[in-house]
Amino acid sequence: MRARTRDAVFGAGALERLARVARFEPGLLVEDFAAPGAREALAAAEVLLTGWGCPPLDEAALDRMPRLRLVAHAAGTVKQHVTDAVWRRGVLVSTAAAANALPVAEYTVAAVLLSNKRVLDTASAFRRARGDIGAFEALAGAGNYRRTVGVVGASRVGRRVLELLRPYDLRLLVHDPYLDPAAAAGLGAEWAGLDHLCRTCDVVSIHAPELPATRHLFDAARLALLRDGATLVNTARGSLVDTAALTAELVAGRLHAVLDVTDPEPLPADSPLWDLPNVLLTPHVAGSLGTELTRLADTATGEIERWARGLPLAHPVRAEDLDRSA
């Protein structure tokens, strides 16, 4: 992993826990598998603890790690570094994606509730009116009671969002091509076709993986299905939304958006989305940051501990699932 990743994710407490689980050199950080200084450690390694910035684990890299049995990733997706060579050699792979899903879901729930409450509009009006109560008459239709919220993608994040929204007086819809109505009901939601979900919901939140099939899943035609005044929340990947088409809708004022990810990322300095009152832009912060990073370290260390004790991994990655997961 990168040095800044180690410093951010593995604080003193995390390293102490890791030391109780495995033998490792606290000062050793490998950013290049071909680096001469890492040769001896890699040759002896049974477990590779990885994070953001890990180089690809190709055949040449794995040749330097003949004893490798487990890759424990202290972050989300493993697609950037786990290659087919890992699976061919029978190396187990684990991910902390479930841990990273928690803050994303929490961010999303906050975005949903604040969007229905029209907090952005209220704050803007309050600022302009300097306290004139009459400025809030247009917000009479705001609120979360009996609103309809749609979740696109029953991923780790999507499922957690549904779980966290369940106590509220909301109608929940979910769309996922791998989910059936009975499974959706088990998540506390109604299964819906994607177009129907778009036509029906006050807030639509995207939690689908970034795949060739999901590129511009929300194109101009699908965005046009969203009801006037609806909010689109994207904490997945920017490529799932056609930025030009969404920009047109937002400039027209027909829709609202909460965007933690965009395409491109960041947006160009001249994008109108920076200044629109109906848009909340954040710099890809929905995932783990600050204190939440420790959860990633704890999850990866826990997986190493389970493997060392001969227990099944709690968060395994399977090659056959990668074509439909983040």
Side-chain angles (χ1 to χ4, degrees):
M1 64 187 74
R2 301 188 191 100
R4 66 185 184 190
T5 298
R6 177 195 59 189
D7 296 342
V9 177
F10 290 90
L15 291 177
E16 289 171 5
R17 183 184 175 193
L18 183 60
R20 293 194 295 269
V21 173
R23 293 191 301 273
F24 76 104
E25 298 177 33
L28 177 64
L29 178 71
V30 179
E31 297 185 72
D32 178 1
F33 291 128
R39 184 177 302 151
E40 185 176 345
L42 291 176
E46 296 173 290
V47 177
L48 201 63
L49 179 58
T50 62
W52 293 303
C54 180
L57 284 161
D58 53 19
E59 291 284 3
L62 292 171
D63 283 343
R64 298 182 175 91
M65 295 173 268
R67 300 183 62 193
L68 185 66
R69 297 295 177 266
L70 169 66
V71 176
H73 191 49
T77 182
V78 301
K79 289 184 177 180
Q80 279 72 42
H81 64 290
V82 171
T83 70
D84 289 343
V86 174
W87 308 118
R88 285 196 296 269
R89 298 193 183 210
V91 176
L92 299 176
V93 179
S94 173
T95 175
N100 196 50
L102 300 180
V104 180
E106 292 164 356
Y107 174 108
T108 300
V109 169
V112 168
L113 298 177
L114 292 178
S115 294
N116 278 333
K117 201 77 172 179
R118 287 290 177 252
V119 168
L120 281 178
D121 295 358
T122 305
S124 178
F126 192 50
R127 185 180 302 113
R128 292 194 307 270
R130 294 297 190 267
D132 179 7
I133 302 301
F136 303 106
E137 292 178 359
L139 300 174
N144 281 289
Y145 184 56
R146 292 185 175 175
R147 293 288 186 173
T148 303
V149 176
V151 170
V152 179
S155 58
R156 295 180 182 90
V157 177
R159 289 168 184 261
R160 181 62 172 166
V161 168
L162 291 170
E163 179 184 353
L164 292 175
L165 287 176
R166 204 172 300 160
Y168 297 94
D169 290 316
L170 298 166
R171 179 189 179 200
L172 302 177
L173 303 185
V174 62
H175 173 79
D176 190 301
Y178 299 97
L179 201 66
D180 59 31
L187 297 174
E190 305 169 36
W191 189 91
L194 183 53
D195 288 350
H196 175 71
L197 181 149
C198 290
R199 293 189 186 98
T200 306
C201 292
D202 299 290
V203 179
V204 174
S205 190
I206 304 173
H207 303 290
E210 183 178 44
L211 304 169
T214 60
R215 177 170 175 78
H216 289 186
L217 183 67
F218 283 80
D219 55 11
R222 186 151 285 135
L223 291 169
L225 298 177
L226 294 173
R227 56 174 56 180
D228 291 354
T231 299
L232 184 71
V233 180
N234 191 7
T235 59
R237 288 292 184 268
S239 67
L240 275 67
V241 178
D242 182 335
T243 300
L246 179 61
T247 299
E249 292 279 17
L250 294 171
V251 168
R254 197 180 74 80
L255 301 178
H256 296 72
V258 178
L259 305 174
D260 188 53
V261 291
T262 57
D263 182 26
E265 191 174 84
L267 291 169
D270 61 352
S271 169
L273 299 190
W274 290 111
D275 300 310
L276 290 178
N278 51 333
V279 178
L280 175 62
L281 285 175
T282 54
H284 209 138
V285 297
S288 299
L289 60 94
T291 61
E292 296 158 345
L293 294 170
T294 303
R295 186 189 282 130
L296 303 179
D298 288 344
T299 300
T301 301
E303 289 290 74
I304 295 171
E305 186 174 21
R306 290 179 67 85
W307 178 80
R309 294 169 59 191
L311 299 174
L313 297 174
H315 307 287
V317 179
R318 297 179 177 87
E320 59 268 24
D321 295 334
L322 286 179
D323 64 343
R324 57 187 179 97
S325 64

